Amino acid sequence: MIAATIPDLAVFFVGAAIIVVGALGVILAKNPVHAALSLVMTLFGIAVLFIEEQANFLAAVQIIVYAGAIVVLFLFVIMFLGVDKAEDITTEPIVGQRPIAAIVVAALMASIVALGQLGHWMVGTHASTTATTGNDVADLGRSVFTTYLFAFEATAALLVIAVVGAVVLARRVSPDELSTDEPEVAQVPEDLGATMTAGEVEQ
Amino acid sequence: MSVNPSWFLILSALLFSIGAFGLLIRRNVLVMFMCVELMLNAANLSFVTFSRMLGDIGGQATVFFVLVVAAAEVVVGLGLVVAIFRRRHHAVVDDLSSMKG
């Protein structure tokens, strides 16, 4: 292995710092909009590290699909539902939940790192399906349309199912379709009318 | 190119842990979804690192499929959040204890 050069190390550490700061921003931000913007920061950091690892196509897809589509969808839903208010995260809903969560997660992290350091699950010859040639776009395209062709076609079906599912879920429910034994529907506040009207306008 | 792959794997484990911690402590469904995205990205980073370590494009192809599944998951998940919000006017998981209706 060639020794790491200074620019490589600099890119890695800058990318790692961006990722960790963004991730902490996601879990600590009071406002969901700020959490979504921190998520964009993390996704950009991941894209930087993808480029560092010669996965240029995935870096571009990461920006376009994640930062461009998924986070915009998040922001759209946050704004649409009007939940962009600061949330009180200082109180614990369940007593002792956070210390327990911290212990569980520390144990998780320790076991992952220990597995990587001590495990012997990466020995012998690996079942290489498609060796890399240095041109990641050509390699990826070739393997997706040959080795992983069935999986690729299955993703097309999955996306169609997801779109149909989203349309069914987001469809406006007519009042007589709601079951009357649901207590929370019986006491609908005034602002539901506004939400429904917004839904109608969208249709 | 030649930064030690172990560092990428440790960073990936750290990112996964942060995402898991957020998933455990937050109560807002949307923020919990974002934490799931963090965990998926941590896994993607591991896949790309292994792809480079082993000289096998299969890891990158897997990341490609993970991206598709993540997009589908977010679409359906946010559809569910919108549907829940229409009925209950908040998106706090503690209040979603009933499976009925």
Side-chain angles (χ1 to χ4, degrees):
Chain A
M1 177 182 286
I2 319 149
T5 56
I6 299 293
D8 282 331
L9 288 173
V11 168
F12 174 79
F13 283 111
V14 169
I18 292 174
I19 289 173
V20 172
V21 171
L24 291 176
V26 171
I27 66 168
L28 298 178
K30 291 192 181 74
N31 189 326
V33 176
H34 297 169
L37 295 177
S38 301
L39 184 62
V40 174
M41 187 170 159
T42 300
L43 299 176
F44 267 99
I46 299 263
V48 168
L49 291 193
F50 278 0
I51 292 174
E52 170 67 20
E53 298 208 85
Q54 319 277 294
N56 304 309
F57 176 75
L58 288 180
V61 169
Q62 172 90 3
I63 304 261
I64 295 169
V65 173
Y66 258 117
I70 291 183
V71 176
V72 168
L73 197 60
F74 269 115
L75 286 171
F76 182 78
V77 170
I78 292 169
M79 306 283 179
F80 178 67
L81 297 181
V83 288
D84 52 341
K85 291 175 216 70
E87 176 193 351
D88 179 24
I89 57 170
T90 51
T91 54
E92 280 186 297
I94 304 172
V95 177
Q97 187 197 15
R98 285 176 190 175
I100 293 172
I103 292 167
V104 167
V105 166
L108 176 76
M109 166 105 191
S111 37
I112 295 173
V113 172
L115 189 66
Q117 289 293 314
L118 312 172
H120 45 80
W121 43 279
M122 259 182 55
V123 293
T125 53
H126 61 95
S128 179
T129 48
T130 329
T132 48
T133 58
N135 182 350
D136 72 295
V137 182
D139 286 343
L140 198 54
R142 205 171 291 118
S143 74
V144 162
F145 283 102
T146 54
T147 317
Y148 301 102
L149 183 62
F150 180 73
F152 183 65
E153 289 178 349
T155 58
L158 179 72
L159 286 175
V160 172
I161 293 168
V163 168
V164 173
V167 170
V168 170
L169 285 171
R171 175 180 64 105
R172 188 173 149 268
V173 185
S174 63
D176 48 302
E177 270 184 75
L178 292 173
S179 64
T180 45
D181 57 348
E182 192 172 343
E184 281 166 79
V185 176
Q187 33 179 296
V188 176
E190 291 291 357
D191 62 336
L192 182 63
T195 318
M196 290 296 187
T197 320
E200 272 174 346
V201 168
E202 200 183 50
Q203 285 161 6
Chain B
M1 161 81 196
S2 43
V3 178
N4 190 347
S6 307
W7 295 1
F8 283 96
L9 295 178
I10 288 172
L11 175 66
S12 161
L14 180 65
L15 182 59
F16 188 89
S17 306
I18 294 175
F21 186 63
L23 192 64
L24 289 172
I25 65 166
R26 291 304 296 259
R27 281 289 167 275
N28 186 322
V29 180
L30 290 160
V31 178
M32 289 173 74
F33 261 114
M34 291 179 207
C35 292
V36 172
E37 298 301 317
L38 287 182
M39 292 163 76
L40 284 169
N41 272 283
N44 282 353
L45 189 60
S46 292
F47 273 124
V48 172
T49 306
F50 284 128
S51 169
R52 180 173 66 115
M53 280 167 79
L54 303 175
D56 187 339
I57 201 70
Q60 292 193 25
T62 309
V63 172
F64 182 78
F65 294 124
V66 170
L67 280 169
V68 176
V69 173
E73 172 241 330
V74 166
V75 167
V76 175
L78 292 180
L80 281 171
V81 172
V82 171
I84 290 167
F85 204 87
R86 284 223 175 119
R87 288 183 175 225
R88 293 175 191 246
H89 304 280
H90 50 74
V92 180
V93 282
D94 284 337
D95 302 328
L96 298 179
S97 52
S98 164
M99 290 287 284
K100 197 169 91 181

